């Protein structure tokens, strides 16, 4: 028998593994999945939906990298579920995981990181073993733009565009829950380098590093409160402004 996953904020459950996070939110209007993990997370995802209860209504993708879209196509098996992605990352969904290298190639070659950082090699092995590079394309989806309030999604989250990690990286804000889902725009653990604390992902996995850092100003504007829930690492309770300021000061590797 499975068990209820970790509740990291009221009605918000963290799924995934020691490297990759994605989240299931329980609302009065149904369930919302924020990001979609890896294909091997399927059983944990299905168990969480069953245990939390309710109907899956939406999948919100912070961006289109393989470790965030692995179960998106599978989620569409739930009747009435819509997958949402920023219009600038939509090209990453239609052709499978390889499209990330075509439409949002990393700023720097992986080779120097693989040579200097054993952790980077372990990350790629983990993703390969978890089916990241063989996930099916997402056949249908809806798109959004920066600043839009997604009234079609339970809780009506607001989209904050934070391009850089990918062209369409986005943050989702639920003011009534006091949570901000930051995807890989800001993480508390960089699995490519081992960095911990508020930071950006290294240039090995980021499309435009300078733009990713500049986009953190939008995150800082969200204020002093709210729990940040990243795509990698533990929640950050110090608020968006403090997290963004720390990440900006540290820069990108």
């Amino acid at each position: 028998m499975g068990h209820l996953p970790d509740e990291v904020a009221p009605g918000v459950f963290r799924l995934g593994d020691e490297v990759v996070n994605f989240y299931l939110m329980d609302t009065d209007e149904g369930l919302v999945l924020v990001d979609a993990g890896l294909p091997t997370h399927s059983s944990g995802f299905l168990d969480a939906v069953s245990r939390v209860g309710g109907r899956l209504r939406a999948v919100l993708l912070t961006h289109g990298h393989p470790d965030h879209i692995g179960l998106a196509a599978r989620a569409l098996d739930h009747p009435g579920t819509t997958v949402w992605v920023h219009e600038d990352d939509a090209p990453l969904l239609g052709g499978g995981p390889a499209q990330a290298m075509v439409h949002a190639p990393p700023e720097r070659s992986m080779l120097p990181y693989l040579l200097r950082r054993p952790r980077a090699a372990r990350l790629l092995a983990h993703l390969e073993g978890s089916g990241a590079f063989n996930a099916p394309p997402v056949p249908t989806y809806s798109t959004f733009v920066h600043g839009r309030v997604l009234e079609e999604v339970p809780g009506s989250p607001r989209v904050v565009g934070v391009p850089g990690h990918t062209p369409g990286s986005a943050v989702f804000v639920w003011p009534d829950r006091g949570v901000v889902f930051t995807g890989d725009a800001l993480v508390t653990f960089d699995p490519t380098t081992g960095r911990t604390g508020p930071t950006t992902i290294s240039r090995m996995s980021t499309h435009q590093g300078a733009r990713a850092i500049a986009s953190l100003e939008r995150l800082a504007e969200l204020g002093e409160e709210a729990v940040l829930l990243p795509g990698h690492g533990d929640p950050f309770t110090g608020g968006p402004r403090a997290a963004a300021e720390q990440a900006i000061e540290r820069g990108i590797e």
Side-chain angles (χ1 to χ4, degrees):
M1 294 291 289
H3 58 86
L4 200 64
D6 291 340
E7 188 170 10
V8 291
V12 181
F13 302 90
R14 179 165 64 175
L15 310 179
D17 56 35
E18 70 279 4
V19 176
V20 175
N21 300 326
F22 63 115
Y23 302 90
L24 185 67
M25 174 179 281
D26 184 17
T27 81
D28 292 340
E29 304 166 67
L31 303 177
V32 179
L33 194 67
V34 180
D35 284 328
L38 295 160
T40 52
H41 295 149
S42 177
S43 61
F45 159 63
L46 293 174
D47 185 65
V49 169
S50 174
R51 290 180 173 278
V52 174
R55 181 166 64 93
L56 186 65
R57 292 278 309 281
V59 179
L60 304 186
L61 301 177
T62 60
H63 63 294
H65 275 164
D67 54 332
H68 292 258
I69 66 172
L71 295 174
R74 178 77 179 267
L76 291 172
D77 293 340
H78 294 250
T81 300
T82 302
V83 172
W84 292 87
V85 66
H86 191 285
E87 63 180 11
D88 290 340
D89 266 22
L92 279 65
L93 303 189
Q99 293 305 304
M101 295 299 293
V102 175
H103 294 283
E107 188 169 68
R108 289 187 180 170
S109 167
M110 294 183 182
L111 184 58
Y113 292 89
L114 295 174
L115 293 174
R116 298 195 317 265
R117 303 275 193 172
R119 187 179 295 276
R122 291 199 297 270
L123 170 64
L124 291 182
H126 178 76
L127 297 180
E128 175 67 30
S130 300
F133 307 121
N134 298 306
V138 184
T140 60
Y141 50 82
S142 295
T143 61
F144 53 73
V145 295
H146 165 61
R148 181 173 171 187
V149 174
L150 298 176
E151 296 180 351
E152 305 92 332
V153 175
S156 300
R158 178 163 64 93
V159 175
V160 178
V162 283
H165 183 67
T166 64
S169 285
V171 162
F172 302 114
V173 182
W174 262 273
D176 64 326
R177 294 293 185 97
V179 293
V180 178
F181 296 92
T182 59
D184 286 3
L186 185 145
V187 299
T188 57
F189 169 63
D190 178 359
T192 68
T193 65
R195 250 185 175 187
T196 58
T199 189
T200 51
I201 299 279
S202 75
R203 290 184 171 93
M204 168 185 152
S205 297
T206 291
H207 181 53
Q208 294 176 314
R211 195 179 186 196
I213 293 295
S215 289
L216 293 174
E217 295 289 354
R218 287 181 174 174
L219 188 60
E221 292 170 358
L222 298 178
E224 304 287 347
E225 299 182 359
V227 176
L228 273 62
L229 300 175
H232 306 277
D234 293 329
F236 182 80
T237 59
R241 180 171 297 144
E245 288 175 349
Q246 289 182 45
I248 290 169
E249 183 177 355
R250 300 177 78 181
I252 186 169
E253 290 194 18

